[in-house]
Amino acid sequence: MKSTWPIHSSSASDTMQQPTSPYRYPHLADNSIRVLHLMPSADQNAPIRCKMTHCPLPDVPGQNGSSLFEALSYTWGSGATVRSVFVVEQNDWGFGSVFKLDITVSLHEALVRLRDPCFERLIWADAICINQGDRDETERQVRIMERVYASASRVLVWLGNDDAGSTGINALERLRMVAAGAEPTSEDSLTLSRLLERPWFTRMWVLQEVTAARHILMIYGSSTIDGQAFCLGLEPLLPLVEDQSLQWLARSTAQLMQGAALRPRPALRHHRSESPGIRPLGELIDMFHDRKATKAHDKIYALLGMCTDNVLDQFGPDYSVSWSELFRRLILYLLGNNITVVKTWEATSSTDFAVVEVTARLMGEVVSVGEPAAPPEGTRLVTVGPLRGPYGCGNTSKQWIFRSSSDFVRKGDFVCAVEGRPASMIVRYHNADYFSIISIMGPAADSM
């Protein structure tokens, strides 16, 4: 059954005419995206109405190489509860067929917040602009995801509604004031901690989204802050946050956000090296493997647009491959073929790890971990001394500066060399049966 209504009507009474027919996505051509036209309404309680158009990349709406659409970076949230939006397919008389499309509560809240009272707004949001029921389309869109965010006029970071009423306003205002030169206070610790506990900071996909962005606006409830101001205010405030894991989440994300305005438009890039490939895949896995994703596969796929390795064809995206098989391939790629993958599991909340057998040589023991005197951002100074006990040899300690991992290296960890791998690994002893791998990108093995 189809329903029709005037395109520009926006009264709350229209909720009585809401359609029941589900929206059916038309085919989307390669290297194209859907852009959501968010229709205006001054009524916060009015249903969300929108139109969809198809645009080839990078020829998205705009002039002189700029784009008029904004890309949304947000947390999907639970799909257990959904809200409906209404997609209008307009005819020549200003009326159209209207279809219902269910989306997550988080996305619905973001669209309500972004809706302008007077003007149409062009938005790209993955959950609604990609046909999630079409695996082939999803895989094709994931391949160009970095280009989507790089092509957007700006990336809108939606941190969610401010349930406490004033936390968001206070936190973003304090960040803005400190960025402008105000001194941090002890009261900033709790305010900032509550902000950094927002789920957005834990998500895997947001890393690529802010890395590709050329302009970032962060939104928390009714409050907003420019991405550059957020980064400037964050650095002097972070030492006040007692939770080290929150510090790591915020600092590593802010490092990716910095310099957004200096990034070239996709149309001006001439080489792969000009894309936001920032680190080898192994380093990215080390740094961000604790981030979360709705689909386990995305813990890998979300990093492909950021890595300097040419592995897109090797690893997909291909959601038909089981998680255990994809994980096995990743392990062999990162650790080399001289290992045996004993066991991987299908994806659950607690099985994004594997058991491997490897012949390795212990090279030294971590005796201290600290900050370098003039640290490159996101690095730690690790001092490795000779092994103790019956297998100890030598008496010389060496120091390395290497990129921080989301698993923090500790005193007492070991550096080991694996045959065929130029980089060593840092491992932690548990018992006679196994070590856990803390970092796969330790010091070069031949430097030990």
Side-chain angles (χ1 to χ4, degrees):
M1 180 182 74
K2 295 182 180 180
S3 300
T4 60
W5 54 29
I7 296 300
H8 299 294
S9 174
S10 62
S11 70
S13 64
D14 284 334
T15 58
M16 300 299 292
Q17 307 174 40
Q18 291 176 6
T20 58
S21 297
Y23 177 70
R24 297 185 182 276
Y25 286 92
H27 175 73
L28 183 63
D30 288 346
N31 293 311
S32 296
I33 61 171
R34 291 185 186 89
V35 175
L36 177 74
H37 296 243
L38 184 59
M39 294 181 178
S41 177
D43 182 359
Q44 288 288 307
N45 297 316
I48 293 290
R49 297 186 192 146
C50 57
K51 295 180 290 184
M52 298 271 206
T53 56
H54 292 196
C55 304
L57 278 177
D59 301 323
V60 291
Q63 297 179 345
N64 301 322
S66 65
S67 304
L68 297 182
F69 82 93
E70 301 166 293
L72 184 63
S73 177
Y74 69 107
T75 301
W76 273 33
S78 171
T81 305
V82 297
R83 297 286 185 269
S84 296
V85 299
F86 302 102
V87 183
V88 179
E89 294 184 347
Q90 187 175 3
N91 60 28
D92 294 336
W93 296 277
F95 288 79
S97 299
V98 183
F99 302 90
K100 184 174 74 168
L101 181 62
D102 290 336
I103 60 175
T104 64
V105 172
S106 175
L107 178 54
H108 188 271
E109 290 175 344
L111 295 178
V112 170
R113 171 64 176 84
L114 296 175
R115 180 170 54 185
D116 191 90
C118 301
F119 300 103
E120 188 175 275
R121 195 166 186 174
L122 305 185
I123 303 289
W124 189 90
D126 57 356
I128 196 170
C129 294
I130 299 175
N131 182 0
Q132 301 295 326
D134 184 336
R135 192 179 69 197
D136 177 68
E137 179 183 307
T138 300
E139 291 171 357
R140 287 187 286 113
Q141 290 285 286
V142 168
R143 280 180 173 267
I144 63 173
M145 195 84 76
E146 177 268 324
R147 289 173 55 202
V148 173
Y149 283 87
S151 298
S153 61
R154 63 179 174 181
V155 171
L156 306 172
V157 173
W158 171 246
L159 298 176
N161 281 326
D162 182 7
D163 300 327
S166 61
T167 301
I169 296 174
N170 292 342
L172 298 193
E173 182 59 28
R174 283 300 299 160
L175 284 164
R176 188 180 294 106
M177 292 172 64
V178 172
E183 290 294 325
T185 69
S186 58
E187 296 178 355
D188 291 328
S189 173
L190 181 59
T191 301
L192 184 59
S193 295
R194 288 177 175 171
L195 174 69
L196 300 181
E197 288 169 354
R198 302 301 299 179
W200 182 85
F201 290 96
T202 69
R203 306 305 293 179
M204 183 67 85
W205 272 115
V206 306
L207 303 172
Q208 179 178 258
E209 293 161 6
V210 298
T211 300
R214 292 182 291 115
H215 180 201
I216 299 171
L217 181 70
M218 306 189 73
I219 309 168
Y220 185 14
S222 61
S223 187
T224 64
I225 188 172
D226 178 80
Q228 191 63 25
F230 173 85
C231 295
L232 289 173
L234 182 68
E235 190 58 32
L237 288 175
L238 266 185
L240 300 177
V241 177
E242 296 180 359
D243 189 327
Q244 192 176 31
S245 63
L246 288 182
Q247 282 196 30
W248 163 252
L249 287 172
R251 180 173 284 114
S252 57
T253 304
Q255 287 166 2
L256 299 178
M257 294 170 59
Q258 291 171 347
L262 303 178
R263 293 168 189 153
R265 295 192 300 268
L268 299 181
R269 295 177 183 163
H270 302 289
H271 304 288
R272 171 71 174 91
S273 61
E274 293 178 353
S275 73
I278 56 172
R279 298 287 168 195
L281 183 58
E283 287 192 19
L284 294 175
I285 294 290
D286 257 3
M287 294 169 66
F288 301 123
H289 66 81
D290 62 335
R291 302 298 174 107
K292 299 175 182 178
T294 303
K295 299 176 182 177
H297 297 61
D298 289 337
K299 287 197 166 189
I300 299 173
Y301 296 156
L303 297 176
L304 298 183
M306 299 169 57
C307 74
T308 53
D309 308 34
N310 187 19
V311 293
L312 192 58
D313 292 332
Q314 181 174 349
F315 284 109
D318 182 355
Y319 291 98
S320 67
V321 176
S322 69
W323 166 245
S324 61
E325 172 58 20
L326 181 63
F327 196 12
R328 187 189 70 84
R329 294 178 190 176
L330 178 71
I331 293 167
L332 292 176
Y333 174 78
L334 294 177
L335 301 186
N337 292 319
N338 294 323
I339 71 165
T340 300
V341 180
V342 177
K343 180 71 174 177
T344 60
W345 288 266
E346 288 306 318
T348 70
S349 61
S350 59
T351 57
D352 49 352
F353 63 90
V355 177
V356 301
E357 285 184 355
V358 59
T359 301
R361 182 159 53 99
L362 294 179
M363 305 291 291
E365 182 177 356
V366 175
V367 295
S368 69
V369 180
E371 299 286 347
E377 290 184 334
T379 59
R380 303 287 282 170
L381 179 65
V382 175
T383 303
V384 179
L387 295 174
R388 295 175 296 174
Y391 302 104
C393 59
N395 55 12
T396 302
S397 295
K398 293 186 177 182
Q399 291 184 326
W400 285 269
I401 296 176
F402 74 100
R403 194 152 297 277
S404 297
S405 166
S406 57
D407 286 328
F408 299 101
V409 177
R410 299 197 303 236
K411 179 180 179 181
D413 291 341
F414 294 96
V415 179
C416 70
V418 178
E419 183 180 357
R421 288 195 81 235
S424 64
M425 297 191 301
I426 297 180
V427 298
R428 184 169 299 155
Y429 177 81
H430 284 278
N431 55 45
D433 294 325
Y434 74 96
F435 290 77
S436 61
I437 299 174
I438 303 303
S439 172
I440 60 175
M441 300 298 288
D446 59 7
S447 68
M448 297 297 296

